[in-house]
Amino acid sequence: MTSPAPLVAPPAAASTGAAHRRGPGRPRDEELDGQLVAATLALIDAGEEVTVGRVVARSGVSRAALYRRWPSLTTLIAAALDVGREVPPEVGDAVGLHELLLTGLGLGADGVAPSAPGYPEARFRQRIRLVMADRALQRAYWTSHVARRRVPLERALAAGVARGELRADLDVEAAFDAIAGVAYYQLVVRGERIDEPAVVARMRAAIELIWRGMRA
Amino acid sequence: MTSPAPLVAPPAAASTGAAHRRGPGRPRDEELDGQLVAATLALIDAGEEVTVGRVVARSGVSRAALYRRWPSLTTLIAAALDVGREVPPEVGDAVGLHELLLTGLGLGADGVAPSAPGYPEARFRQRIRLVMADRALQRAYWTSHVARRRVPLERALAAGVARGELRADLDVEAAFDAIAGVAYYQLVVRGERIDEPAVVARMRAAIELIWRGMRA
């Protein structure tokens, strides 16, 4: 079956490092972008404050080129925070929704989200720190990245409603919030490592609860 | 009916400011504690790094007295982060569980949690930043404060199971996580102000969903 990307953190795939993957004919601009994003991410991972000056110094890309390519430092930081995450593929009707919710939280066969390669937990924690310090960044990250990543699963849920499998009055967005909220609560409030068996069991129990409430 | 304290943020009541409320016979130690906690909270609210030196300077309490009263700076910061919040009262059987879940999220008649007086949203955001930067603080805050605040509602849910109102196999802790996760997802991921009508409506829809999954 199709294995959708987790809601909270991603599979190993990475969209960064364009500079390292340069092939013939790769546009120069994309390479610059890769350098800017990689430098920004390196600053974030190091726990350093991200400033234009530091990104310029670390990337070797000029200040003028940075501003030409990114309308604001906020959008560049949002892009860097999203490295290693991808919009999951559209889900075919053949995929069971129940299984989809579990894999969506990283509870499927592929293991648990935030310990996945490509998006280490330390980066997740940094991301939350940064967005809580800056609502403009939080909203930019939400709009440009998280909300887009939700679309395939939300479409699959809406299709489940159309098929009569899920309640006709299901609020798809609210259902998604409830499901993803379970994982965030572990990470942000309880401070759990969500690959521990007891945590996985509790998250599964919560998802089953939500699933029962969603079914027609 | 009893109005339980919200899961996410508190009613107006505050446990700080002991120094301002000194009455005859109030123990001197409690006054010192109040000064230490208030100074720590002032640093947090100002966005300043909390160090022992700064707490000492701001509170006027000696370093020795601080260390005598608090085993670590971590526990003092956790206490300061909890100012304005209280363990909600035990819930009698007469209170409807459905209503309780809504008021628990601040969606009852009393309005919405994080805009409540006594726990401004800026402090909530600071709290999340601090705990994401320091897992020891996160776990201390969870154990000493959040987990304790959950007890009355968890007991009420367990009583609902015993009465046959909720599913016999309900995982009470998982249910609580799911409910509280809805609010945290709005605040931490979406960056919403949860007193906006659309956000309140979505949160209500999510709680209804979870409630349906909990019922026997």
Side-chain angles (χ1 to χ4, degrees):
Chain A
M1 62 168 279
T2 309
S3 177
L7 309 180
V8 174
S15 58
T16 187
H20 310 297
R21 293 186 279 108
R22 192 183 191 195
R26 186 167 206 99
R28 168 78 179 146
D29 264 9
E30 196 173 325
E31 186 172 315
L32 289 184
D33 256 3
Q35 288 167 350
L36 288 167
V37 169
T40 304
L41 185 59
L43 290 168
I44 292 170
D45 281 347
E48 290 181 41
E49 194 192 352
V50 180
T51 62
V52 169
R54 285 181 183 171
V55 173
V56 164
R58 188 148 195 154
S59 66
V61 176
S62 74
R63 189 174 286 257
L66 185 157
Y67 279 121
R68 197 163 57 237
R69 301 200 49 71
W70 296 92
S72 70
L73 188 60
T74 297
T75 56
L76 173 56
I77 295 173
L81 288 174
D82 215 50
V83 165
R85 307 197 61 176
E86 293 186 333
V87 176
E90 290 293 330
V91 182
D93 279 2
V95 179
L97 287 178
H98 179 247
E99 174 65 16
L100 194 60
L101 296 190
L102 293 174
T103 53
L105 270 190
L107 296 172
D110 292 347
V112 170
S115 58
Y119 207 86
E121 195 201 353
R123 191 179 298 163
F124 173 84
R125 295 177 74 95
Q126 276 288 62
R127 185 192 114 204
I128 300 295
R129 290 178 65 188
L130 288 171
V131 302
M132 291 313 277
D134 181 348
R135 191 191 291 273
L137 173 62
Q138 188 177 30
R139 291 300 296 169
Y141 187 69
W142 163 259
T143 307
S144 306
H145 301 280
V146 185
R148 286 177 54 227
R149 237 186 339 262
R150 289 170 47 126
V151 171
L153 182 52
E154 286 182 343
R155 278 209 192 107
L157 294 179
V161 173
R163 282 198 305 272
E165 191 182 343
L166 302 180
R167 292 173 61 93
D169 65 354
L170 183 72
D171 182 327
V172 163
E173 228 186 320
F176 195 116
D177 284 10
I179 294 159
V182 170
Y184 277 95
Y185 191 81
Q186 310 305 315
L187 295 164
V188 172
V189 183
R190 300 184 77 125
E192 301 279 17
R193 302 186 197 274
I194 70 178
D195 51 1
E196 282 169 18
V199 180
V200 170
R202 192 169 57 239
M203 287 174 64
R204 277 186 175 276
I207 301 302
E208 294 302 335
L209 189 67
I210 295 167
W211 171 249
R212 278 196 298 268
M214 293 167 67
R215 269 189 322 208
Chain B
M1 63 167 279
T2 309
S3 177
L7 309 180
V8 174
S15 58
T16 187
H20 309 299
R21 295 185 278 109
R22 193 185 191 195
R26 187 168 206 98
R28 166 79 181 148
D29 264 9
E30 195 173 326
E31 185 172 316
L32 289 184
D33 256 4
Q35 287 167 350
L36 287 167
V37 169
T40 303
L41 186 59
L43 290 168
I44 292 170
D45 282 347
E48 289 180 43
E49 194 193 350
V50 180
T51 62
V52 169
R54 284 181 182 171
V55 173
V56 164
R58 190 147 193 154
S59 66
V61 176
S62 74
R63 189 174 288 257
L66 186 156
Y67 279 121
R68 197 164 55 238
R69 303 200 49 72
W70 296 92
S72 70
L73 189 60
T74 297
T75 56
L76 174 56
I77 295 173
L81 288 174
D82 216 50
V83 165
R85 310 197 61 176
E86 293 185 335
V87 176
E90 290 293 330
V91 182
D93 279 3
V95 179
L97 287 178
H98 180 247
E99 174 65 14
L100 194 61
L101 296 189
L102 293 173
T103 52
L105 270 189
L107 296 172
D110 293 347
V112 171
S115 58
Y119 208 86
E121 194 201 353
R123 190 178 298 162
F124 173 84
R125 295 177 74 95
Q126 276 289 64
R127 185 193 113 202
I128 301 296
R129 289 177 65 189
L130 289 171
V131 302
M132 292 313 278
D134 181 347
R135 190 190 292 273
L137 173 61
Q138 187 177 30
R139 291 300 295 170
Y141 187 69
W142 164 259
T143 306
S144 306
H145 301 281
V146 185
R148 286 178 52 226
R149 240 189 332 266
R150 290 170 46 127
V151 171
L153 182 51
E154 286 182 343
R155 278 210 192 108
L157 294 178
V161 172
R163 283 197 305 273
E165 190 183 343
L166 302 179
R167 293 174 60 94
D169 65 353
L170 183 72
D171 182 327
V172 163
E173 228 186 319
F176 196 116
D177 285 10
I179 293 158
V182 170
Y184 276 96
Y185 191 81
Q186 311 305 313
L187 294 163
V188 173
V189 184
R190 301 184 76 126
E192 302 279 17
R193 300 186 197 276
I194 70 178
D195 52 1
E196 283 169 17
V199 180
V200 171
R202 191 169 57 241
M203 287 174 64
R204 277 185 174 276
I207 301 303
E208 294 301 334
L209 187 68
I210 295 166
W211 172 248
R212 277 196 299 267
M214 293 167 67
R215 268 189 322 208

